Structures are given as structure tokens and as C-alpha cells.
Amino acid sequence: MNKPEARTRIQERNRAAILDAGLDVFSQFGFRGATLDQIAEAAGLSKPNLLYYFPSKESVYETLLQELLHTWLDPLRAMRPEGDAVGEILGYVRRKLEMSRDYPRESRLFANEILQGAPRIMPALTGELRDLVNDKAAVIRGWSAAGRIATIDPHHLIFSIWALTQHYADFDVQVQAVLGPGDPYPAATAYLEQLFRRLLTG
Amino acid sequence: MNKPEARTRIQERNRAAILDAGLDVFSQFGFRGATLDQIAEAAGLSKPNLLYYFPSKESVYETLLQELLHTWLDPLRAMRPEGDAVGEILGYVRRKLEMSRDYPRESRLFANEILQGAPRIMPALTGELRDLVNDKAAVIRGWSAAGRIATIDPHHLIFSIWALTQHYADFDVQVQAVLGPGDPYPAATAYLEQLFRRLLTG
DNA sequence: ACTTGATTTGACCATTCGGTCAAAGCAACG
DNA sequence: CGTTGCTTTGACCGAATGGTCAAATCAAGT
């Protein structure tokens, strides 16, 4: 009947095309710098047709942000207190780096939103994100106290994991400009494992 | 006489106000997302008056980018092969982190330009930047070979310094959302020194 | 073939965009 | 005072922007 429920194949396809095109454009130019015409063309639709599936530019953007947050925190959530401490943290680093490699547009979309002051995602940052980080920080602090890893600031450890892994997605063109063409991820993976292993077992 | 040479006090003041306002706006919204009216209002001028001092939106942006690159690479340039290896690298980390703290808008402007694919700064990336990084990478490799620091990938070491230090400027609102209000830099400074010291003396 | 509802589009609208221009304001100096 | 040149602005322009709407097209079932 209506769009939210009971989607036809054509709705499924067009909504997906719009979100994919929106991800392309928003992640590059941010919300304000992106235009509906640009997104519509990238999706292979006319602008009014795009607005048949989404009521506004804002709604496309917010749908993307919402889908993003859902999957963005999964790797952190997967860190289990019962596991091997160093292995759990290194696993998180590896999964996060794989996300940078496989979903760089999502990473850039998030970076753009944060650079603009997080106007539409701030509630999630001070809510869901903050709670999860504090939860995992406590886990890490427990590992430190138990002597399973070195004593370190758990919040800044998490920040450093974000910074290092997302850098390869967000600053990709800079990395490529310096290193030349080629896949930087094998070397990055090895480097980050070395870095965190030394940090945690210092 | 004309603008480039022999500036009056009023020209000096207004050009500075425009560049400062442009830094505010461009660093938040990127080139496409920023508007001249926004910049003019932030600078306390009318739009035509702004365009009396700069011929176009593009010229304001490019002036900012040019000034940025000039100072952005100085801390890396200051790394001297003759000095103490660990001390030189830690000094670079500290200077870079201080730049994030004292000039966060410049960091965000750069991040925005890179996210957009570096359309206006690419030549500098594959030229000046690439050369300097390769030069310093050779220095670091020499330190490793001489046994003065651990064996690490010098390029990714430099990337990791950029990622970790700029994160505190670019993702400031996220850091504050997680940590709550307060200055994160004292703890960040201590954490990064610990991290790199362990990495380099591993 | 006919009907019904989903889909698509061309034309259009108000607003905002970057930028121009002629005229007005203003400071300094003779 | 009057002149000269720097500075500021209101009015304006064409293009692009987000969004609307009625009409046309299409797909599917009968």
C-alpha cells in the first residue's frame, strides 16, 4: 500500500539506488554541499522521482545516518570481557580496519557529519555511543587491573583505534598521494597489529 | 595602490576578518557547503564588500589552503636526523598535537578538503608533501637500521601520527560527547607519549 | 481490452546562490 | 573648501537550489 510497509520490487530497487547515490554524494560533499539533482542523477532517476520515494533531502540523509550507526558500533559491541584481552582488542582493530577498507563511504559520511558539528547525530553520540564506550572502557580497565594488558587510559585507547583505522578511509586520497597507487591495507594491518600489541603488552 | 601590494590598515583588517570568517565557515561546511553570505556576515561585512577584497569564493578558499600548507608541514620539517631518534619523533607528536589544540579549524579545513577528494590541493599532496614524507621516512628508516628505534614501517608511522593527533581536532565534538566537557588534551598528550614510546622502544 | 494503482516526468515556483555595477559615502590632503 | 581615490552598499542578474503538482505512463490483474 504505502511506502514504509509492503515494498514492491521496484520500490526496493529505487530506494536502494537512492541511498547508494546519496552515500556517494553526501560522503563527499556533506549535507549542505550535496544537491538533490546530483543524487538523482547518480541514482539514475529524475529529481521529482527521487522525491517520490523520499520526502526531502534531509530524509535521505537521515536514513543513511541511521543505518550507519546501526552497523558502526557492532565491532565494538563484539568485544567480549571473557575473551583473551589482547586478542579481543586486536580483533576490534582488525574488524574496524576492514570496515574502513570495505565501507569507506560510510566512514567519510560519519566524518563529514562530525566535522559539521554533528548537528543531526549528537543525541546518538551522547547517548548510545557514550554508554557503549563507557561500558567497554570499564571492561578494558578491568583487564588492566587484572594485569592482562598494560595500564592505559581506556577511553583514549578507543579513540586511538578509531583514529588510526578510520584514517585509511577518510584520508585515503592523501595516503594514496604519498604512497602511490596500490593497496595500503596489507601494510596498514601489519603496522597496526604491531603498534597495539606493543602498546598493550608494554 | 592596488590590493596585493601596499595594503592600508583597513585592507589589512578586512582581509584578516574575511579569512578568519572563511576559516570558520569552510572548515565546518566545506567549499560547496559554505556560502558567501555566511562568510560575509561572520566577517561583519556586506557581500559586495567582501567581493571587493577577494574576487571570488574560490579565491578566499584557496588563500586559506595556501596559508595552511605553509605552516602545516613545519613540525615535520623540524624533525632532524642528528637528534635523538625517540625524542625527535615524540617531539613531532607533541608539536602536532599542540597544533590540533591551538588550530583546530585549520585541521578541519584540511580534513574537509581531503574528504572531498582534494580537488584543489592534490598537486601539493603528490609534490611537496610526498617529497617531504619520503625524505623523513628515509630518516626514520635510518634510525631503525642503526638500532636507535624499533623496526617499523616509516610511512605508516607518519600516518599514525597524523591520524592520532588530528583526530582530537577533527572529531572534537565526538570526543567531548563521550568524555563530557573538559579539556581532553592533558590526558591525550600523556597517552600518545606512552603509545609512541612503547612502539619505538619495543 | 479495461481498469486500477503504482510510477515517472515536464513544467513550474520561491528562495538562495555567486557575482556585477553604478552610485554613494568617506578619509586624507592640498 | 574641493578634489581624489579608497571603501561601502542597494539594487540587480542569471543560474542553481529544494520542492510541488497535475498530467502522463506503466505494470498487473481481470
Side-chain angles (χ1 to χ4, degrees):
Chain A
M1 227 46 185
N2 52 4
K3 273 155 284 166
E5 359 163 2
R7 298 212 183 107
T8 70
R9 281 124 278 165
I10 234 171
Q11 280 173 2
E12 207 77 53
R13 174 172 51 82
N14 283 344
R15 274 184 63 98
I18 291 167
L19 290 175
D20 190 72
L23 187 54
D24 265 352
V25 177
F26 283 130
S27 67
Q28 207 181 343
F29 299 108
F31 179 75
R32 298 207 22 185
T35 74
L36 278 180
D37 298 271
Q38 221 179 340
I39 298 170
E41 195 195 331
L45 301 174
S46 66
K47 185 169 57 171
N49 200 9
L50 186 156
L51 288 164
Y52 172 72
Y53 292 100
F54 288 87
S56 67
K57 178 184 176 182
E58 183 113 17
S59 71
V60 179
Y61 186 73
E62 277 178 354
T63 303
L64 283 169
L65 271 191
Q66 210 169 336
E67 288 191 2
L68 176 59
L69 259 182
H70 184 263
T71 58
W72 210 236
L73 295 179
D74 277 348
L76 181 54
R77 256 188 277 269
M79 210 169 70
R80 297 183 61 252
E82 315 85 56
D84 167 62
V86 173
E88 288 292 323
I89 294 173
L90 287 182
Y92 178 45
V93 171
R94 184 178 40 74
R95 284 191 299 274
K96 205 74 177 48
L97 189 59
E98 282 166 2
M99 288 190 66
S100 277
R101 184 193 55 196
D102 298 335
Y103 305 100
R105 298 180 303 173
E106 281 81 351
S107 185
R108 289 190 203 113
L109 180 74
F110 186 76
N112 242 315
E113 167 71 8
I114 299 292
L115 278 176
Q116 280 162 36
R120 298 152 216 273
I121 215 184
M122 182 57 88
L125 296 188
T126 56
E128 206 178 340
L129 175 73
R130 188 176 211 267
D131 293 344
L132 178 62
V133 168
N134 282 338
D135 181 44
K136 296 305 181 185
V139 170
I140 294 169
R141 205 177 289 110
W143 286 338
S144 285
R148 302 218 262 156
I149 59 170
T151 302
I152 34 124
D153 184 317
H155 284 104
H156 288 273
L157 171 63
I158 293 173
F159 292 157
S160 67
I161 294 173
W162 292 347
L164 287 167
T165 55
Q166 291 173 9
H167 185 82
Y168 288 97
D170 302 344
F171 289 76
D172 171 61
V173 308
Q174 189 189 31
V175 169
Q176 300 254 357
V178 169
L179 292 183
D183 182 5
Y185 280 97
T189 305
Y191 175 81
L192 292 189
E193 174 168 342
Q194 182 184 19
L195 185 154
F196 281 106
R197 199 176 283 282
R198 283 195 184 155
L199 173 64
L200 296 171
T201 61
Chain B
M1 226 40 185
N2 52 4
K3 272 155 287 168
E5 358 163 2
R7 299 214 180 107
T8 70
R9 281 126 278 163
I10 233 171
Q11 280 174 3
E12 208 77 52
R13 175 172 52 82
N14 283 346
R15 274 184 63 97
I18 291 167
L19 289 175
D20 189 71
L23 187 54
D24 265 352
V25 178
F26 283 130
S27 68
Q28 211 182 338
F29 300 107
F31 179 74
R32 297 210 22 189
T35 74
L36 277 180
D37 297 88
Q38 222 180 338
I39 299 170
E41 195 195 331
L45 300 174
S46 66
K47 185 170 60 173
N49 200 7
L50 186 156
L51 287 164
Y52 172 72
Y53 292 100
F54 288 87
S56 67
K57 178 185 176 182
E58 184 114 17
S59 71
V60 179
Y61 186 75
E62 277 178 353
T63 303
L64 283 169
L65 269 192
Q66 209 168 338
E67 289 191 2
L68 175 60
L69 258 183
H70 184 262
T71 57
W72 211 237
L73 295 178
D74 277 349
L76 182 54
R77 256 189 279 268
M79 211 170 68
R80 298 183 58 251
E82 315 86 56
D84 167 62
V86 173
E88 288 291 324
I89 293 173
L90 288 182
Y92 178 46
V93 172
R94 186 178 40 75
R95 284 192 299 274
K96 205 74 178 45
L97 189 59
E98 283 166 0
M99 287 189 68
S100 277
R101 184 192 55 196
D102 299 336
Y103 304 100
R105 298 179 302 172
E106 281 82 351
S107 186
R108 290 189 203 113
L109 180 75
F110 186 76
N112 243 315
E113 167 72 9
I114 299 293
L115 278 176
Q116 280 162 37
R120 298 153 216 273
I121 216 184
M122 184 56 89
L125 296 188
T126 55
E128 207 179 337
L129 175 73
R130 188 176 210 268
D131 294 345
L132 178 62
V133 168
N134 282 337
D135 181 43
K136 296 305 181 186
V139 169
I140 293 168
R141 205 176 288 110
W143 286 337
S144 285
R148 302 219 263 154
I149 59 170
T151 303
I152 35 124
D153 184 317
H155 283 105
H156 288 273
L157 172 63
I158 293 174
F159 292 156
S160 67
I161 294 173
W162 291 347
L164 287 167
T165 56
Q166 291 173 8
H167 186 82
Y168 289 97
D170 301 344
F171 290 76
D172 171 60
V173 310
Q174 190 189 30
V175 169
Q176 300 255 354
V178 169
L179 293 183
D183 181 7
Y185 280 97
T189 306
Y191 174 81
L192 291 189
E193 174 168 343
Q194 183 185 18
L195 186 154
F196 282 108
R197 198 175 283 283
R198 285 195 184 153
L199 173 65
L200 297 171
T201 61

